[in-house]
Short mmCIF file of all heavy atoms in Angstrom, two decimals:
data_model
loop_
_atom_site.label_atom_id
_atom_site.label_comp_id
_atom_site.label_asym_id
_atom_site.label_seq_id
_atom_site.Cartn_x
_atom_site.Cartn_y
_atom_site.Cartn_z
N THR A 261 158.49 89.88 216.76
CA THR A 261 158.76 89.26 218.06
C THR A 261 160.26 89.14 218.29
O THR A 261 160.77 89.45 219.37
CB THR A 261 158.12 87.86 218.13
OG1 THR A 261 156.71 87.98 217.98
CG2 THR A 261 158.44 87.19 219.45
N MET A 262 160.97 88.70 217.27
CA MET A 262 162.42 88.54 217.38
C MET A 262 163.11 89.88 217.65
O MET A 262 164.04 89.97 218.45
CB MET A 262 162.96 87.92 216.10
CG MET A 262 164.43 87.55 216.16
SD MET A 262 165.01 86.87 214.57
CE MET A 262 163.93 85.45 214.40
N TYR A 263 162.64 90.93 217.00
CA TYR A 263 163.23 92.25 217.19
C TYR A 263 163.06 92.72 218.63
O TYR A 263 164.02 93.11 219.29
CB TYR A 263 162.58 93.25 216.22
CG TYR A 263 163.02 94.68 216.45
CD1 TYR A 263 164.23 95.14 215.96
CD2 TYR A 263 162.23 95.56 217.18
CE1 TYR A 263 164.65 96.43 216.17
CE2 TYR A 263 162.63 96.86 217.41
CZ TYR A 263 163.84 97.29 216.89
OH TYR A 263 164.25 98.59 217.12
N GLN A 264 161.83 92.68 219.13
CA GLN A 264 161.56 93.15 220.49
C GLN A 264 162.28 92.29 221.52
O GLN A 264 162.81 92.80 222.51
CB GLN A 264 160.05 93.15 220.75
CG GLN A 264 159.29 94.16 219.91
CD GLN A 264 157.81 94.19 220.23
OE1 GLN A 264 157.31 93.33 220.95
NE2 GLN A 264 157.11 95.16 219.69
N PHE A 265 162.29 90.98 221.27
CA PHE A 265 162.95 90.08 222.21
C PHE A 265 164.45 90.36 222.27
O PHE A 265 165.06 90.34 223.34
CB PHE A 265 162.71 88.63 221.79
CG PHE A 265 163.35 87.62 222.70
CD1 PHE A 265 162.79 87.32 223.93
CD2 PHE A 265 164.53 86.99 222.33
CE1 PHE A 265 163.39 86.40 224.78
CE2 PHE A 265 165.13 86.05 223.16
CZ PHE A 265 164.56 85.76 224.39
N ASN A 266 165.06 90.65 221.12
CA ASN A 266 166.50 90.92 221.09
C ASN A 266 166.86 92.21 221.82
O ASN A 266 167.95 92.32 222.39
CB ASN A 266 166.99 90.98 219.64
CG ASN A 266 167.24 89.61 219.05
OD1 ASN A 266 167.09 88.60 219.74
ND2 ASN A 266 167.59 89.55 217.79
N VAL A 267 165.97 93.18 221.80
CA VAL A 267 166.23 94.43 222.54
C VAL A 267 166.36 94.14 224.04
O VAL A 267 167.34 94.54 224.68
CB VAL A 267 165.11 95.46 222.29
CG1 VAL A 267 165.29 96.67 223.21
CG2 VAL A 267 165.12 95.92 220.84
N VAL A 268 165.38 93.43 224.59
CA VAL A 268 165.43 93.15 226.03
C VAL A 268 166.51 92.11 226.34
O VAL A 268 167.11 92.15 227.43
CB VAL A 268 164.05 92.68 226.55
CG1 VAL A 268 163.03 93.79 226.39
CG2 VAL A 268 163.57 91.42 225.84
N LEU A 269 166.77 91.20 225.40
CA LEU A 269 167.84 90.22 225.61
C LEU A 269 169.20 90.92 225.67
O LEU A 269 170.06 90.56 226.49
CB LEU A 269 167.84 89.19 224.49
CG LEU A 269 168.89 88.08 224.58
CD1 LEU A 269 168.68 87.24 225.83
CD2 LEU A 269 168.86 87.20 223.33
N GLY A 270 169.39 91.94 224.82
CA GLY A 270 170.65 92.69 224.86
C GLY A 270 170.87 93.36 226.19
O GLY A 270 171.99 93.34 226.74
N SER A 271 169.81 93.95 226.76
CA SER A 271 169.92 94.58 228.09
C SER A 271 170.27 93.54 229.15
O SER A 271 171.07 93.82 230.07
CB SER A 271 168.61 95.28 228.45
OG SER A 271 168.33 96.32 227.55
N PHE A 272 169.66 92.37 229.04
CA PHE A 272 169.91 91.31 230.02
C PHE A 272 171.35 90.83 229.96
O PHE A 272 172.03 90.71 230.99
CB PHE A 272 168.95 90.15 229.76
CG PHE A 272 169.20 88.93 230.60
CD1 PHE A 272 169.11 88.98 231.97
CD2 PHE A 272 169.51 87.71 230.00
CE1 PHE A 272 169.34 87.85 232.76
CE2 PHE A 272 169.74 86.59 230.76
CZ PHE A 272 169.66 86.66 232.14
N VAL A 273 171.85 90.61 228.75
CA VAL A 273 173.23 90.10 228.58
C VAL A 273 174.24 91.10 229.10
O VAL A 273 175.19 90.74 229.82
CB VAL A 273 173.49 89.77 227.09
CG1 VAL A 273 174.98 89.49 226.86
CG2 VAL A 273 172.65 88.57 226.65
N ILE A 274 174.07 92.37 228.76
CA ILE A 274 175.07 93.37 229.17
C ILE A 274 175.03 93.60 230.68
O ILE A 274 176.04 93.95 231.29
CB ILE A 274 174.89 94.69 228.40
CG1 ILE A 274 176.20 95.49 228.38
CG2 ILE A 274 173.76 95.51 228.96
CD1 ILE A 274 177.31 94.84 227.62
N SER A 275 173.88 93.38 231.32
CA SER A 275 173.81 93.51 232.78
C SER A 275 174.62 92.40 233.45
O SER A 275 175.20 92.61 234.52
CB SER A 275 172.36 93.49 233.26
OG SER A 275 171.75 92.22 233.05
N ILE A 276 174.65 91.23 232.82
CA ILE A 276 175.48 90.13 233.35
C ILE A 276 176.95 90.50 233.23
O ILE A 276 177.75 90.26 234.15
CB ILE A 276 175.17 88.83 232.59
CG1 ILE A 276 173.74 88.37 232.87
CG2 ILE A 276 176.16 87.72 232.99
CD1 ILE A 276 173.32 87.15 232.08
N VAL A 277 177.35 91.08 232.10
CA VAL A 277 178.75 91.51 231.91
C VAL A 277 179.11 92.55 232.97
O VAL A 277 180.19 92.48 233.58
CB VAL A 277 178.95 92.08 230.50
CG1 VAL A 277 180.37 92.63 230.34
CG2 VAL A 277 178.68 91.00 229.44
N ASP A 278 178.22 93.52 233.19
CA ASP A 278 178.47 94.54 234.22
C ASP A 278 178.72 93.89 235.58
O ASP A 278 179.62 94.31 236.33
CB ASP A 278 177.27 95.48 234.33
CG ASP A 278 177.23 96.51 233.21
OD1 ASP A 278 178.23 96.68 232.52
OD2 ASP A 278 176.16 97.14 233.04
N ASN A 279 177.94 92.88 235.92
CA ASN A 279 178.07 92.22 237.21
C ASN A 279 179.43 91.55 237.37
O ASN A 279 180.06 91.63 238.42
CB ASN A 279 176.96 91.19 237.38
CG ASN A 279 177.11 90.38 238.65
OD1 ASN A 279 177.01 90.91 239.76
ND2 ASN A 279 177.36 89.08 238.51
N PHE A 280 179.90 90.89 236.31
CA PHE A 280 181.17 90.17 236.39
C PHE A 280 182.39 91.08 236.43
O PHE A 280 183.45 90.70 236.93
CB PHE A 280 181.31 89.19 235.22
CG PHE A 280 180.58 87.89 235.45
CD1 PHE A 280 179.40 87.61 234.78
CD2 PHE A 280 181.06 86.95 236.35
CE1 PHE A 280 178.71 86.42 234.99
CE2 PHE A 280 180.38 85.76 236.57
CZ PHE A 280 179.21 85.50 235.89
N THR A 281 182.26 92.29 235.89
CA THR A 281 183.43 93.18 235.86
C THR A 281 183.41 94.24 236.97
O THR A 281 184.40 94.93 237.17
CB THR A 281 183.51 93.90 234.50
OG1 THR A 281 182.38 94.78 234.35
CG2 THR A 281 183.54 92.90 233.35
N ALA A 282 182.29 94.36 237.68
CA ALA A 282 182.13 95.44 238.65
C ALA A 282 183.18 95.42 239.75
O ALA A 282 183.59 96.48 240.24
CB ALA A 282 180.73 95.37 239.27
N LYS A 283 183.64 94.23 240.13
CA LYS A 283 184.57 94.13 241.25
C LYS A 283 186.03 94.18 240.83
O LYS A 283 186.93 94.02 241.66
CB LYS A 283 184.29 92.84 242.04
CG LYS A 283 182.91 92.85 242.72
CD LYS A 283 182.67 91.57 243.48
CE LYS A 283 181.35 91.63 244.25
NZ LYS A 283 180.18 91.83 243.40
N ILE A 284 186.29 94.36 239.54
CA ILE A 284 187.66 94.49 239.06
C ILE A 284 188.22 95.84 239.48
O ILE A 284 187.55 96.87 239.34
CB ILE A 284 187.72 94.36 237.52
CG1 ILE A 284 187.26 92.96 237.08
CG2 ILE A 284 189.12 94.63 237.00
CD1 ILE A 284 187.20 92.78 235.58
N ASN A 285 189.42 95.85 239.98
CA ASN A 285 190.06 97.11 240.35
C ASN A 285 190.69 97.74 239.10
O ASN A 285 191.43 97.08 238.38
CB ASN A 285 191.15 96.87 241.41
CG ASN A 285 190.55 96.47 242.75
OD1 ASN A 285 189.51 96.98 243.14
ND2 ASN A 285 191.21 95.55 243.44
N GLY A 286 190.39 98.99 238.86
CA GLY A 286 190.96 99.66 237.72
C GLY A 286 189.96 99.89 236.61
O GLY A 286 188.79 99.48 236.68
N PRO A 287 190.40 100.55 235.54
CA PRO A 287 189.49 100.94 234.44
C PRO A 287 188.90 99.77 233.67
O PRO A 287 187.91 99.94 232.96
CB PRO A 287 190.39 101.80 233.54
CG PRO A 287 191.78 101.44 233.88
CD PRO A 287 191.77 101.07 235.33
N ALA A 288 189.51 98.58 233.80
CA ALA A 288 188.95 97.41 233.09
C ALA A 288 187.53 97.12 233.54
O ALA A 288 186.74 96.54 232.77
CB ALA A 288 189.84 96.18 233.33
N SER A 289 187.17 97.53 234.76
CA SER A 289 185.83 97.24 235.28
C SER A 289 184.75 97.84 234.39
O SER A 289 183.70 97.22 234.17
CB SER A 289 185.70 97.78 236.71
OG SER A 289 185.89 99.19 236.73
N TRP A 290 184.98 99.05 233.87
CA TRP A 290 183.96 99.69 233.04
C TRP A 290 184.31 99.67 231.55
O TRP A 290 183.43 99.82 230.69
CB TRP A 290 183.70 101.13 233.49
CG TRP A 290 184.90 102.03 233.57
CD1 TRP A 290 185.75 102.17 234.64
CD2 TRP A 290 185.39 102.91 232.56
NE1 TRP A 290 186.75 103.09 234.36
CE2 TRP A 290 186.54 103.56 233.09
CE3 TRP A 290 184.99 103.23 231.27
CZ2 TRP A 290 187.28 104.50 232.36
CZ3 TRP A 290 185.72 104.16 230.54
CH2 TRP A 290 186.85 104.79 231.09
N LYS A 291 185.60 99.45 231.23
CA LYS A 291 185.97 99.40 229.81
C LYS A 291 185.62 98.07 229.15
O LYS A 291 185.35 98.02 227.95
CB LYS A 291 187.47 99.69 229.65
CG LYS A 291 187.83 101.14 229.90
CD LYS A 291 189.26 101.45 229.50
CE LYS A 291 189.56 102.94 229.68
NZ LYS A 291 190.90 103.32 229.20
N ILE A 292 185.62 97.00 229.94
CA ILE A 292 185.24 95.70 229.36
C ILE A 292 183.79 95.71 228.88
O ILE A 292 183.51 95.29 227.74
CB ILE A 292 185.50 94.56 230.36
CG1 ILE A 292 187.00 94.35 230.56
CG2 ILE A 292 184.85 93.26 229.88
CD1 ILE A 292 187.36 93.32 231.60
N PRO A 293 182.81 96.15 229.70
CA PRO A 293 181.43 96.21 229.18
C PRO A 293 181.30 97.07 227.92
O PRO A 293 180.55 96.73 227.01
CB PRO A 293 180.64 96.82 230.34
CG PRO A 293 181.42 96.49 231.55
CD PRO A 293 182.86 96.54 231.13
N ILE A 294 182.04 98.19 227.89
CA ILE A 294 181.99 99.04 226.69
C ILE A 294 182.60 98.31 225.50
O ILE A 294 182.05 98.33 224.39
CB ILE A 294 182.73 100.37 226.95
CG1 ILE A 294 182.01 101.17 228.03
CG2 ILE A 294 182.84 101.18 225.67
CD1 ILE A 294 182.74 102.43 228.46
N GLY A 295 183.73 97.63 225.73
CA GLY A 295 184.38 96.88 224.65
C GLY A 295 183.53 95.76 224.10
O GLY A 295 183.58 95.45 222.90
N VAL A 296 182.72 95.15 224.98
CA VAL A 296 181.85 94.05 224.53
C VAL A 296 180.86 94.53 223.47
O VAL A 296 180.44 93.75 222.61
CB VAL A 296 181.10 93.45 225.75
CG1 VAL A 296 179.97 92.52 225.31
CG2 VAL A 296 182.06 92.69 226.64
N LEU A 297 180.54 95.81 223.48
CA LEU A 297 179.60 96.36 222.50
C LEU A 297 180.12 96.21 221.07
O LEU A 297 179.34 96.23 220.12
CB LEU A 297 179.32 97.83 222.80
CG LEU A 297 178.77 98.19 224.18
CD1 LEU A 297 178.57 99.69 224.28
CD2 LEU A 297 177.47 97.46 224.46
N LEU A 298 181.44 96.05 220.91
CA LEU A 298 182.01 95.91 219.58
C LEU A 298 181.65 94.59 218.92
O LEU A 298 181.74 94.47 217.69
CB LEU A 298 183.54 96.03 219.65
CG LEU A 298 184.13 97.43 219.83
CD1 LEU A 298 185.63 97.32 220.04
CD2 LEU A 298 183.81 98.31 218.62
N CYS A 299 181.27 93.58 219.71
CA CYS A 299 181.06 92.26 219.14
C CYS A 299 179.93 92.25 218.10
O CYS A 299 180.00 91.52 217.11
CB CYS A 299 180.77 91.23 220.24
SG CYS A 299 179.19 91.44 221.08
N LEU A 300 178.92 93.08 218.30
CA LEU A 300 177.78 93.07 217.38
C LEU A 300 178.12 93.69 216.02
O LEU A 300 177.86 93.08 214.98
CB LEU A 300 176.58 93.75 218.02
CG LEU A 300 176.00 92.97 219.20
CD1 LEU A 300 174.94 93.78 219.91
CD2 LEU A 300 175.43 91.65 218.74
#
Side-chain angles (χ1 to χ4, degrees):
T261 299
M262 187 182 300
Y263 174 80
Q264 294 183 350
F265 180 77
N266 279 357
V267 172
V268 296
L269 181 63
S271 297
F272 174 61
V273 170
I274 203 66
S275 67
I276 294 176
V277 176
D278 283 346
N279 175 65
F280 278 107
T281 65
K283 295 180 175 60
I284 297 176
N285 291 322
S289 60
W290 54 273
K291 288 190 176 185
I292 290 176
I294 296 174
V296 168
L297 303 179
L298 284 174
C299 69
L300 292 172

